[in-house]
Amino acid sequence: MRDKGLHNDSSSQNCFLNCVIQVLWHLEAFRSTFDQSTTHACKNAENDRSSGLSNASQLSESRCVFCALKGIFAEYSFGEQSDLPPDALRVALSNMYEGSSRFQINEMDDAAECYEAVLNNLHELLVGRSDNDGDGDGDADSGRRQLQYSICEPPCLVHSCFGPSITERPLRAHARL
């Protein structure tokens, strides 16, 4: 397999997204389990599911993180290009967070928040329900709460690969009496 990388010209501002894709690709447990996953509650229109995201108009309407990541991973595995476009995932996130300032095309964003958004959306798609109101414009704290309170049995791909949710609690200094 020849070396491959993700496209990132300076005007596209994809560095934060490329970090997330690379982390997920290089985690063998995630990649192999994700590769075997096929069933999900697709957020694309019916015709997109059957035909794939083969043209620009379908890509511009994409809202499915699962389908977008599947396509990128397929390109990593089987594609001939050495410079892979992350566009499908970028568009899916941008469309999902439409109306907010998060993950918009050609705008910089935070890699950690993107990572949480991708995992939260994969969880929703795999368990077939949204654990929030579905507007997609929650803040990072709501994303952490979303996975924390989401119970799926058997554990979905996200929970089986990344284990239980961990939350931060500030410790209060004990006053001396």
Side-chain angles (χ1 to χ4, degrees), residues 5-51:
L6 293 163
H7 184 72
N8 186 34
D9 59 317
S10 60
S11 64
S12 62
Q13 306 286 342
N14 285 331
C15 54
F16 72 93
L17 180 62
N18 290 350
C19 289
V20 172
I21 295 168
Q22 289 170 358
V23 163
L24 295 175
W25 172 258
H26 288 290
L27 291 171
E28 177 62 34
F30 178 86
R31 187 175 70 238
S32 63
T33 306
F34 184 68
D35 187 46
Q36 297 171 9
S37 299
T38 56
T39 305
H40 67 287
C42 190
K43 291 190 176 186
N44 292 334
E46 284 295 323
N47 59 347
D48 288 346
R49 273 190 255 176
S50 60
S51 62

Side-chain angles (χ1 to χ4, degrees), residues 82-147:
S82 60
D83 187 22
L84 306 176
D87 300 346
L89 186 55
R90 183 67 186 253
V91 169
L93 285 170
S94 178
N95 287 338
M96 289 181 61
Y97 289 88
E98 194 172 43
S100 78
S101 61
R102 297 182 69 199
F103 313 122
Q104 296 307 298
I105 303 295
N106 298 330
E107 297 291 328
M108 290 187 90
D109 224 302
D110 183 76
E113 289 179 9
C114 181
Y115 182 71
E116 287 178 339
V118 167
L119 293 181
N120 283 331
N121 284 292
L122 284 175
H123 166 76
E124 284 181 13
L125 296 168
L126 291 166
V127 300
R129 70 173 194 274
S130 175
D131 295 317
N132 63 10
D133 61 2
D135 63 6
D137 60 355
D139 59 16
D141 288 334
S142 69
R144 281 190 277 281
R145 285 191 300 272
Q146 182 177 335
L147 268 179

Side-chain angles (χ1 to χ4, degrees), residues 1-7 18 21-22 25-26 71-85:
M1 180 158 92
R2 60 185 224 206
D3 291 338
K4 296 182 181 183
L6 293 163
H7 184 72
N18 290 350
I21 295 168
Q22 289 170 358
W25 172 258
H26 288 290
I72 293 168
F73 279 18
E75 286 297 318
Y76 256 123
S77 295
F78 308 111
E80 295 296 319
Q81 292 178 292
S82 60
D83 187 22
L84 306 176

